[in-house]
Amino acid sequence: MNEKKALLVVSFGTSHLDTLEKTIAAAEEAISARFPGVVMRRAFTSGMIIKALRQREGIEIDNVQEALARLAAEGCTQVKVQPTHIMNGDEYEKMLAQAAPFAEKMALSVGKPLLTSVQDFRDVCRALMAQLGAPAGDEAVVFMGHGTGHYANAAYSQLDYMLRDMGWKNAFIGTVEGYPELSEVLRRLEERPELRRVRLYPLMIVAGDHAKNDMAGDEPDSWKSQLEQRGYQVECCLMGLGEYPAIREILASHALEAERYG
Ligand code: CO
């Protein structure tokens, strides 16, 4: 019997190499550490990012299909696929669709995205709270999620609710491309006149374009600028979720719990 095993860690991707190392690469290492002796590979689901990395940096990254085809050609018979995606949305579904044809060629198992079970939400809240420290009475903690048109977008509201439920009454989650938007966050902040300071964090695995520009940029429409225009004292932290050791551990535990696919 010759069972050749591999681990494929799948991320949306980023073209910002600084955050790539600190977040995606760090998460890959944390997940890989749970499977000693098993070869680990990287794939991205964003075709746009794969193309940008190829053109701008000369770096080749596989998509899920390419990575699995390569592993199959190398004789791998058991492959565990773990996403670093935050939610069960479009990118996760794309990952499953690209993996599906390989279920006939190899024993595939697939782990869940970061925010799947209610316990995952609790674990993520704990990770955020432990890493960031509780806000002072006049201070709000605002997270910028990506947001999506997929129904999985509801995860943001559940996480927002749970943060408050677990004691962080000054925490607010908004998104760039979904609901709630910054306008909802601004309105909720106004309902709490005692809040004068804001700490801003990305609620994304990487701190890439959205975090650097849409959140913390100096353009007048960035979240930082819009909050400052309303008189808040704003502090931005460009730390992607992949930099939180406790978040990486949740992803690693999902890989351990990966279930047979196909
Ligand atoms: Co985007």
Side-chain angles (χ1 to χ4, degrees), residues 12 146 177 210:
F12 176 78
H146 192 276
E177 294 175 22
H210 287 302

Side-chain angles (χ1 to χ4, degrees), residues 55-72:
Q55 289 175 346
R56 277 192 255 148
E57 314 283 348
I59 297 174
E60 287 291 338
I61 310 269
D62 284 339
N63 64 27
V64 174
Q65 207 170 348
E66 290 162 345
L68 288 174
R70 201 186 299 276
L71 288 169

Side-chain angles (χ1 to χ4, degrees), residues 47-94:
M48 233 172 61
I49 299 244
I50 290 172
K51 197 171 148 199
L53 281 172
R54 181 184 301 131
Q55 289 175 346
R56 277 192 255 148
E57 314 283 348
I59 297 174
E60 287 291 338
I61 310 269
D62 284 339
N63 64 27
V64 174
Q65 207 170 348
E66 290 162 345
L68 288 174
R70 201 186 299 276
L71 288 169
E74 290 169 18
C76 280
T77 49
Q78 287 185 43
V79 180
K80 196 178 282 283
V81 183
Q82 178 59 46
T84 69
H85 298 127
I86 289 186
M87 55 178 57
N88 291 256
D90 291 321
E91 297 299 319
Y92 179 65
E93 286 176 358
K94 194 199 284 182

Side-chain angles (χ1 to χ4, degrees), residues 134-156:
D138 66 341
E139 194 178 37
V141 171
V142 174
F143 294 97
M144 174 195 261
H146 192 276
T148 169
H150 191 282
Y151 54 77
N153 187 72
Y156 293 108

